[in-house]
Amino acid sequence: MKIIVVSGYAYPSIEPWVLSSWLPDLTFLGNFSYGITAEGGVVDLNDENLIQAAYTAGVKPMMVLTPLDESGTFNDVTAGILLSNPQARTNLVNNILQTIQRKGLAGIDFDFEFVPVENRQDYVELIRQTKELLGPQGYYVTAALAPKTSDAQQGSIYQGHDYRQIGEIVDYALIMTYEWGYTYGPPMAVSPINQVRKVLDYAVSEIPREKILMGMPNYGYDWKLPFVKGETRAEKMSSGGAFWRAQYYGAEVIYDQLSQAPYFTYFDSAGNKHVVWFEDIRSIRAKLALVEEYDLAGVGYWNIMDYFPANSEVLNEMYQVRKL
């Protein structure tokens, strides 16, 4: 049985029973999220509950670092200012190490999305500098990367991530193979397997397979129809919640073969038609099979704030989880 790395992102507000249910199946726990200042400071996270629970279960707790400012808001402007300033980057690297040592974390996971294209190389250098300082001390350095299909892919979420250079540096790279179906987008599977394959085909051409973690969604969306671009906002929901809703409305769950994902439609009490795309035991198994097919290091779940037993059931049926 193949042994794989499994990571999962969690907020400190996670229900204790949900966290304890997930921990036996995790290698890394991503504590979401620490933030940054333009000068290279680290915005702390009150995550002692996550750290303690992780170590008790033999899981490595990681500092997830995103461009959150001191108000808790994602701020790409701050990220650009920081990345453009070599001294600020050095300050950040030193502050990362101090925070990890002070709190007893196992390492850092960089999750900088929408990196300005002009700061693409600066971001590589930040990760490289961090690895050079933290690696010799036994800390892990990982990064989450946008789901690209080529290096030339256009779009603000893609252009700032250099797969090859970042892949050379980090211990593991999580490829965010989810959010095709998303809050403001048209109804579709969150992680359609035909699209995931395209991303993995590119990823393995740039990053060593033994470093790649494939993103796994632990949620679905409910869209009210008709979809109106710029107006429709899908409701995010757990897979368990989706099953409950299908049952409540007496909806038939249909499995889409192309995307390898389930969906159903229903009419609410006001007569509005809805469509729900989510994950079930079949879609989970189909995605997890790609780890073996592509010979990847493992998977990373976004996120583990809800517990869906099928995730654990299929994971343990197919693989053994690595404990470091």
Side-chain angles (χ1 to χ4, degrees):
M1 182 178 286
K2 184 177 173 71
I3 302 172
I4 67 169
V5 171
V6 181
S7 68
Y9 290 102
Y11 296 89
S13 59
I14 188 172
E15 292 284 347
W17 76 267
V18 173
L19 180 59
S20 63
S21 297
W22 269 102
L23 285 172
D25 297 326
L26 298 182
T27 311
F28 294 107
L29 176 65
N31 300 0
F32 200 89
S33 166
Y34 290 75
I36 60 172
T37 68
E39 299 76 30
V42 168
V43 179
D44 207 354
L45 179 69
N46 184 17
D47 59 349
E48 284 74 15
N49 61 319
L50 299 179
I51 296 169
Q52 182 176 353
Y55 278 121
T56 300
V59 174
K60 298 291 189 183
M62 299 282 283
M63 166 200 278
V64 180
L65 191 69
T66 64
L68 282 177
D69 61 25
E70 290 163 295
S71 69
T73 305
F74 282 98
N75 193 323
D76 300 325
V77 174
T78 297
I81 295 171
L82 166 76
L83 292 170
S84 300
N85 184 338
Q87 185 57 57
R89 295 201 306 266
T90 298
N91 293 343
L92 179 59
V93 173
N94 290 329
N95 285 320
I96 287 169
L97 176 61
Q98 290 175 14
T99 304
I100 285 173
Q101 290 175 330
R102 173 171 57 84
K103 301 192 75 170
L105 293 158
I108 181 168
D109 176 51
F110 285 99
D111 186 12
F112 280 41
E113 299 178 33
F114 300 99
V115 173
V117 63
E118 60 269 23
N119 296 121
R120 174 179 165 122
Q121 192 60 37
D122 297 327
Y123 187 44
V124 170
E125 294 310 318
L126 171 64
I127 297 173
R128 190 191 314 279
Q129 197 174 347
T130 303
K131 178 63 176 174
E132 287 174 353
L133 182 63
L134 271 61
Q137 301 189 51
Y139 296 114
Y140 294 92
V141 176
T142 67
L145 300 175
K148 299 172 67 163
T149 55
S150 78
D151 189 51
Q153 189 165 348
Q154 297 299 298
S156 57
I157 194 171
Y158 306 110
Q159 292 174 280
H161 285 175
D162 188 313
Y163 267 39
R164 177 161 293 182
Q165 289 196 77
I166 293 174
E168 288 175 352
I169 300 166
V170 297
D171 295 297
Y172 296 104
L174 169 69
I175 312 299
M176 295 184 282
T177 41
Y178 39 74
E179 287 289 272
W180 275 270
Y182 66 104
T183 305
Y184 302 103
M188 66 182 299
V190 172
S191 182
I193 201 163
N194 54 318
Q195 300 297 336
V196 172
R197 283 182 177 280
K198 294 176 184 177
V199 173
L200 293 180
D201 287 341
Y202 172 63
V204 298
S205 74
E206 298 284 341
I207 302 170
R209 294 170 191 260
E210 65 272 16
K211 290 186 175 186
I212 296 175
L213 303 180
M214 180 187 71
M216 290 282 291
N218 183 40
Y219 59 95
Y221 286 107
D222 181 324
W223 286 265
K224 188 169 81 169
L225 302 175
F227 171 79
V228 180
K229 187 174 181 179
E231 293 183 20
T232 301
R233 179 186 170 96
E235 174 195 355
K236 196 171 190 177
M237 64 192 316
S238 68
S239 292
F243 273 111
W244 180 90
R245 191 163 295 183
Q247 187 175 27
Y248 180 84
Y249 287 102
E252 178 190 2
V253 174
I254 301 168
Y255 194 72
D256 180 70
Q257 293 297 328
L258 178 63
S259 62
Q260 291 285 296
Y263 72 96
F264 63 89
T265 59
Y266 71 94
F267 289 89
D268 64 26
S269 58
N272 299 302
K273 188 176 183 181
H274 292 245
V275 62
V276 178
W277 285 89
F278 62 110
E279 301 297 327
D280 69 2
I281 198 165
R282 296 167 293 180
S283 66
I284 292 167
R285 182 175 283 112
K287 277 188 272 289
L288 285 175
L290 296 176
V291 177
E292 179 80 45
E293 179 182 336
Y294 283 84
D295 195 22
L296 307 178
V299 295
Y301 285 89
W302 177 262
N303 57 50
I304 64 166
M305 296 301 287
D306 294 295
Y307 184 64
F308 187 48
N311 278 310
S312 179
E313 180 183 333
V314 180
L315 179 67
N316 287 286
E317 170 194 314
M318 299 176 70
Y319 303 106
Q320 182 180 338
V321 177
R322 185 181 299 279
K323 297 288 186 177
L324 299 170

